Amino acid sequence: MLVALNKPFGVLCQFTDEAGRRTLADFVTQKGVYAAGRLDHDSEGLLLLTDDGVLQHRLADPKHKQAKTYVVMVEGTPTEEALEKLRRGVVLNDGPTLPAGAELIDEPAWLWPRDPPVRFRKTVPDAWLRITLKEGRNRQVRRMTAAVGLPTLRLIREAIGDYRLDGLASGETRVLDADRAQARSHKEPRNRR
């Protein structure tokens, strides 16, 4: 089984929490599924869950280089120089990142209101970026945008590989075509010459 969840802001990527915070159990009714990867407590968007260990590994393990695409609200006005730095990769405290896709976009029309709302400052502009990574370090997008002078205000994952939010409302789940995912996870690698 493969389940897509649009994880809301403030939800932990686990099923239990001794402190009583919101978890995946508040949204996912399917039993026996586990997250294939993580989204931070303060990040939103697409999270895939599965009961297939091989598929979970394939989706989450950075060595498989599944592209993950995020829409990111940043503080400041992105320059072409800042975007080019993101595209080439930036040096973080744990080493250089791989090159990333980075483009300035309009605020997505499909965006839902966040609870609580993002802080608004009249004197500081904000902008939206679409960033695509093929690695998954802890809080990587936030650290990359900060490294180029554009602190992240809101972070939403819109896609993992071929899987997309596709109109899934915040907090909703959708069962995906597990047969298609299973077939992709078991493909033999192409012969290299």
Side-chain angles (χ1 to χ4, degrees), residues 23-185:
T23 68
L24 299 178
D26 295 316
F27 302 94
V28 179
T29 58
Q30 293 81 5
K31 301 297 180 203
V33 295
Y34 300 93
R38 300 185 59 79
L39 267 177
D40 294 325
H41 179 263
D42 53 356
S43 297
E44 307 165 72
L46 183 62
L47 182 68
L48 297 175
L49 301 100
T50 182
D51 58 358
D52 179 334
V54 173
L55 178 59
Q56 181 184 27
H57 177 75
R58 181 132 184 108
L59 290 169
D61 192 316
K63 78 176 183 179
H64 295 292
K65 301 205 182 324
Q66 288 283 336
K68 294 175 179 74
T69 303
Y70 302 84
V71 291
V72 186
M73 181 186 194
V74 295
E75 184 175 273
T77 304
T79 63
E80 188 55 37
E81 179 185 2
L83 293 173
E84 192 54 38
K85 285 180 183 177
L86 293 171
R87 291 177 190 131
R88 285 193 313 263
V90 296
V91 178
L92 303 176
N93 61 358
D94 55 353
T97 66
L98 293 175
E103 64 179 322
L104 184 63
I105 61 170
D106 292 330
E107 180 177 327
W110 48 260
L111 203 59
W112 55 88
R114 195 184 84 175
D115 182 23
V118 175
R119 66 180 162 83
F120 175 74
R121 294 173 24 190
K122 289 184 201 177
T123 59
V124 180
D126 57 60
W128 286 90
L129 303 176
R130 178 170 284 116
I131 297 177
T132 302
L133 305 179
K134 289 198 174 180
E135 60 183 332
R137 299 186 201 178
N138 186 42
R139 299 181 72 77
Q140 182 174 345
V141 171
R142 292 175 191 281
R143 294 189 297 143
M144 288 177 72
T145 62
V148 299
L150 300 166
T152 292
L153 300 174
R154 187 173 184 189
L155 178 67
I156 302 164
R157 183 161 56 200
E158 70 173 341
I160 300 170
D162 294 336
Y163 300 103
R164 304 186 60 77
L165 279 175
D166 285 338
L168 195 61
S170 182
E172 287 186 351
T173 61
R174 176 186 306 129
V175 176
L176 302 175
D177 182 355
D179 293 335
R180 183 173 67 111
Q182 185 70 19
R184 274 208 317 243
S185 75

